[in-house]
Amino acid sequence: MKHQSLFAALLCTFVLAAVARADNYKIDPVHSTVLFRAHHANVGYVWGRFNDPAGTFALDDADPSKSTFSFEIPVDNVDTHNPQRDAHLKSPDFFNEKQYPTITFKSKSVKADGNTLHVTGDLTMHGVTKPVTIPVELAGKGQFPPGTQRAGLEATFTVKMSDFEIKGLPGAVGDEIKVIVACEGVKQ
Amino acid sequence: MFTIHDLLAAAVVPLLISAALLGVGKWRNWPWMPPLAIGGGFLAGYALLGFPKLPPRDGTDWLFWLTIPLTGLGLATSALWPGRIWPLAISTSLVSLVILHPIVPRGLSLPAWCAVGAILLPAGWLQGWIVRVSTPRVGPRTMACSLAMITFGAAVLIASSHLRIVGVYGLTATSAFIPACILISSPRSIAGLATLLLPLLSGMLLAGHFYADPGVPWLPLLVLLTAPALFLLPAMLPASPSWRQLACFILIAAAVAAAMLPAAIAAKRASESNLDVPL
């Protein structure tokens, strides 16, 4: 009798653990975009993108605070549709790509607010790490193609170049940069 | 694109500080003052543009912190060892290695980095020797003006090659040099100035080539790095000092223009074009 009770308790524990386990996703670079916007000479906005972002995220529907996010963006993939500008962005005037080739984000805590997760983590850019809180909207979940489970996220936030010791071009490029990350992950 | 603040910090403040210290040095007949004046002017201008990190994080931070011991070395060379060349040779090699080491091995392979240091050691010695033998024949003021022209050319070339901030630092160094063109009079001072400037010039030009992609092209980089070797030609001329000085000006100006103008014109055309407007 004692053994049966113990067995039932263990079985329940495993079942509950399986149900509560977070779903792990790997970023699909083909269906993911990182856009950024800079204010040019206090006149207009210039947009650019980083191609082929990488990373993983885990979504825990039962306890969203247990979700995790980890992204990597190669600076070499910056694309503003202007090779001269791209080369300048990679130079020490901006990202200093040869010394700091990657922008990374690693989450530390998550707070759920309806369909939005307020993700706090460390953003590392230009060799400087700063804590940031990013509101991440869950765009949806589904299967595409059939049999392949996907989840979509979108986040919009701003960063200051000066916070990451990026000298930039004062007077020509504004300090505040708006960033939009829209990504899909494939369930692993 | 330079703001008013950039121009004040890069041009006016270094010039005023350098002029004031050089004036004191000339009045008191201190041959060691010029390296201190130019080093001090450069450091002040740099600090106004944005104080560097300590510990240094990248090559631009190292440029500031290395200027301090180089200024001391230049001062000691003028005061104590005007005939010694090895301090200049060793510091030319070491400064470039330190400025480039943050991008090794990603931006510059380890063998290439070692090769840079190995080549600059004898090259620095040769440049030091050429400056030492040429100064009595060409005159300290002409040497100072020529070194200022080379520094200016390097600054413009680097600024045109996606490394604007290092170009601005080069303009800061040029501004600090300008009063020396008028106030310097001792050959001992030139020995110290060369010990301060030539390593910095090598470091800035090589940073301009290796940190940016594309950076400073090889040909203009080599022309400016080896420009001090041209001092030997007017120094050997069997002519009066005035003719040797004129020949030195023309030769250095031609070399600097050949290195700097194509890149500067290309950068200006690119910035005026609707299709190639940088940020």
Side-chain angles (χ1 to χ4, degrees), chain B residues 91-167:
Chain B
S91 53
T92 301
S93 180
L94 274 178
V95 163
S96 293
L97 286 175
V98 170
I99 284 176
L100 292 176
H101 93 274
I103 57 169
V104 177
R106 202 173 174 278
L108 177 67
S109 69
L110 188 59
W113 180 68
C114 295
V116 164
I119 290 167
L120 284 176
L121 192 61
W125 191 95
L126 188 61
Q127 285 192 334
W129 179 80
I130 289 171
V131 168
R132 195 184 76 178
V133 302
S134 305
T135 302
R137 299 276 295 169
V138 173
R141 279 203 192 101
T142 307
M143 293 294 284
C145 291
S146 301
L147 288 171
M149 274 196 282
I150 295 170
T151 310
F152 176 72
V156 172
L157 183 66
I158 294 166
S160 307
S161 305
H162 298 120
L163 204 51
R164 174 194 162 273
I165 191 63
V166 176

Side-chain angles (χ1 to χ4, degrees), chain B residues 214-241:
Chain B
V216 174
W218 269 118
L219 186 56
L221 179 141
L222 287 172
V223 167
L224 286 178
L225 269 182
T226 57
L230 293 172
F231 294 145
L232 207 52
L233 294 172
M236 290 192 308
L237 278 179
S240 70

Side-chain angles (χ1 to χ4, degrees), chain A residues 82 91 93 97-99, chain B residues 57 106 162 164 210 275:
Chain A
N82 183 297
S91 80
D93 281 349
E97 185 266 339
K98 286 195 178 178
Q99 191 172 347
Chain B
R57 287 187 344 108
R106 202 173 174 278
H162 298 120
R164 174 194 162 273
F210 287 111
L275 289 177

Side-chain angles (χ1 to χ4, degrees), chain A residues 25 28 31 140-144 148-152 184-187:
Chain A
Y25 296 86
D28 172 10
H31 296 98
K141 281 185 183 178
Q143 284 199 12
F144 188 83
T148 302
Q149 191 70 29
R150 293 175 170 268
E184 275 187 26
V186 176
K187 189 174 172 183

Side-chain angles (χ1 to χ4, degrees), chain A residues 38 40 46 76 82-85 87-94 96-101 126-128 164-165 167-173, chain B residues 1 3 6 46 53 57-61 102-103 106-107 162-166 169 209-214 267 270-271 275-279:
Chain A
H40 175 237
V46 176
D76 195 35
N82 183 297
Q84 191 188 5
R85 181 163 51 208
H88 196 189
L89 286 171
K90 290 187 231 178
S91 80
D93 281 349
F94 289 91
N96 195 3
E97 185 266 339
K98 286 195 178 178
Q99 191 172 347
Y100 308 113
H126 195 242
V128 175
F164 295 88
E165 292 169 19
K167 294 178 177 79
L169 273 181
V173 180
Chain B
M1 183 171 167
T3 64
D6 284 346
Y46 188 125
K53 298 288 162 234
R57 287 187 344 108
D58 57 29
T60 54
D61 291 338
I103 57 169
R106 202 173 174 278
H162 298 120
L163 204 51
R164 174 194 162 273
I165 191 63
V166 176
Y169 296 148
H209 176 78
F210 287 111
Y211 269 86
D213 188 14
S271 73
L275 289 177
D276 280 331
V277 177
L279 278 174

